[in-house]
């Protein structure tokens, strides 16, 4: 049976569609068969040409039901569903289908306030900082906001996906012949976090450390068992 990841949230503009394709691309880079499922009626379906995952148009409810049924009937596939914004009833429906729920939010108090409501509505969901600042001063301020407003949800906070202009390439109707290495690395890092949460095995020779952020914005890295022992 396939595993389904839903990227939802009542706040619009948090990057749900971009993250859906970024995650699907990252899973594809790890050799995982993945479908990126579009449910946002404000978006247009994308071509599968050149992608390592399959985009699927499920803006009609019968198409969503059909693709979920097909995914549930196959092994070693993954579905990444883009929920769109400002659709609380759809969020509830998708959360009920999901093996993992991600709630993206940007560095703004408005986003965080909406996120808190969604975290309460979906107690199994994880919060995903999206379009996160990479400037050192802005990053420190963002991390302080997270610590002050989301401290009690610390165990449900994932590592940020930093702002990167190249992510817009994934939303082109047809991909360019080659994607930037930085974009591929960002996609891998996001996919690795999801794979850890879903206990998806990864060969040791493809293990990648996930950068960790401390409250002051300084980066840390997860250590291998060998490094921890040392």
């Amino acid at each position: 049976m396939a595993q389904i990841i839903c990227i939802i949230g009542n706040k619009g503009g948090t990057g749900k569609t971009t993250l859906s394709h970024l995650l699907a691309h990252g899973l594809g880079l790890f050799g995982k068969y993945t479908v990126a499922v579009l449910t946002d009626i404000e978006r247009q379906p994308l071509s599968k040409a050149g992608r390592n995952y399959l985009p699927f148009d499920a803006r009609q409810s019968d198409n969503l039901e059909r693709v979920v049924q097909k995914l549930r009937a196959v092994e070693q596939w993954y579905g990444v569903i883009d929920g769109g914004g400002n659709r609380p009833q759809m969020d509830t429906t998708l959360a009920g289908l999901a093996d993992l729920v991600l709630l993206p939010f940007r560095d703004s108090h408005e986003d965080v306030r909406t996120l808190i409501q969604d975290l309460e509505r979906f107690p199994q969901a994880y919060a995903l900082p999206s379009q996160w600042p990479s400037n050192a001063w802005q990053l420190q301020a963002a991390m302080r906001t997270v610590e002050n407003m989301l401290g009690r949800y610390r165990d449900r906070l994932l590592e940020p996906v930093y702002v990167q202009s190249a992510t817009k390439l994934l939303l082109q109707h047809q991909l360019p012949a080659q994607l930037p290495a930085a974009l591929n690395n960002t996609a891998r890092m996001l996919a690795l976090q999801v794979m850890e949460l879903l206990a998806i095995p990864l060969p040791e020779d493809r293990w990648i450390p996930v950068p960790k952020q401390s409250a002051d914005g300084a980066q840390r890295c997860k250590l291998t068992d060998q490094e921890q022992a040392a």
Side-chain angles (χ1 to χ4, degrees):
M1 175 183 299
Q3 297 196 69
I4 294 177
I5 305 104
C6 289
I7 302 180
I8 62 175
N10 202 36
K11 179 71 171 60
T14 58
K16 286 182 281 290
T17 300
T18 300
L19 289 169
S20 297
H21 287 274
L22 188 68
L23 175 55
H25 178 61
L27 289 169
L29 291 172
F30 283 117
K32 307 300 182 183
Y33 301 117
T34 309
V35 181
V37 181
L38 173 67
T39 70
D40 187 347
I41 58 176
E42 301 299 326
R43 297 280 183 172
Q44 295 298 315
L46 303 178
S47 169
K48 66 178 181 180
R51 299 180 193 270
N52 59 13
Y53 59 95
L54 178 65
F56 185 86
D57 182 3
R59 292 174 296 171
Q60 300 295 324
S61 59
D62 55 342
N63 283 349
L64 176 60
E65 183 178 349
R66 182 156 53 93
V67 72
V68 169
Q69 287 178 348
K70 287 188 175 180
L71 284 168
R72 292 303 192 193
V74 296
E75 296 288 341
Q76 298 183 346
W77 275 77
Y78 301 89
V80 181
I81 301 182
D82 168 21
N86 303 311
R87 297 193 297 170
Q89 186 56 52
M90 175 61 81
D91 285 352
T92 299
T93 298
L94 294 178
L97 299 173
D99 298 289
L100 175 65
V101 174
L102 301 180
L103 300 169
F105 69 101
R106 298 167 304 171
D107 174 27
S108 83
H109 282 222
E110 182 183 10
D111 277 31
V112 172
R113 288 193 296 269
T114 304
L115 171 67
I116 290 171
Q117 294 174 357
D118 286 336
L119 286 168
E120 293 296 325
R121 286 179 62 204
F122 307 112
Q124 304 304 317
Y126 288 84
L128 177 62
S130 171
Q131 304 172 32
W132 214 240
S134 55
N135 171 275
W137 182 87
Q138 293 176 325
L139 178 58
Q140 289 181 11
M143 298 305 289
R144 283 196 296 269
T145 297
V146 167
E147 186 66 24
N148 291 335
M149 297 183 70
L150 294 171
R152 61 190 169 124
Y153 301 102
R154 190 175 294 108
D155 292 342
R156 297 168 63 190
L157 283 169
L158 300 183
E159 293 303 314
V161 175
Y162 294 95
V163 63
Q164 186 177 148
S165 62
T167 57
K168 65 187 177 184
L169 296 174
L170 294 173
L171 301 185
Q172 293 183 180
H173 181 68
Q174 188 164 339
L175 287 185
Q178 187 171 359
L179 293 172
L183 176 60
N184 289 334
N185 287 337
T186 298
R188 287 188 184 96
M189 291 301 181
L190 176 57
L192 188 60
Q193 289 197 80
V194 168
M195 292 168 68
E196 289 178 343
L197 290 172
L198 292 174
I200 300 170
L202 182 69
E204 288 187 9
D205 61 352
R206 303 191 73 175
W207 185 89
I208 302 172
V210 179
K212 307 289 288 183
Q213 294 292 333
S214 62
D216 63 359
Q219 278 199 347
R220 296 177 284 115
C221 283
K222 289 184 177 180
L223 299 178
T224 63
D225 292 338
Q226 292 85 349
E227 290 172 324
Q228 290 173 341

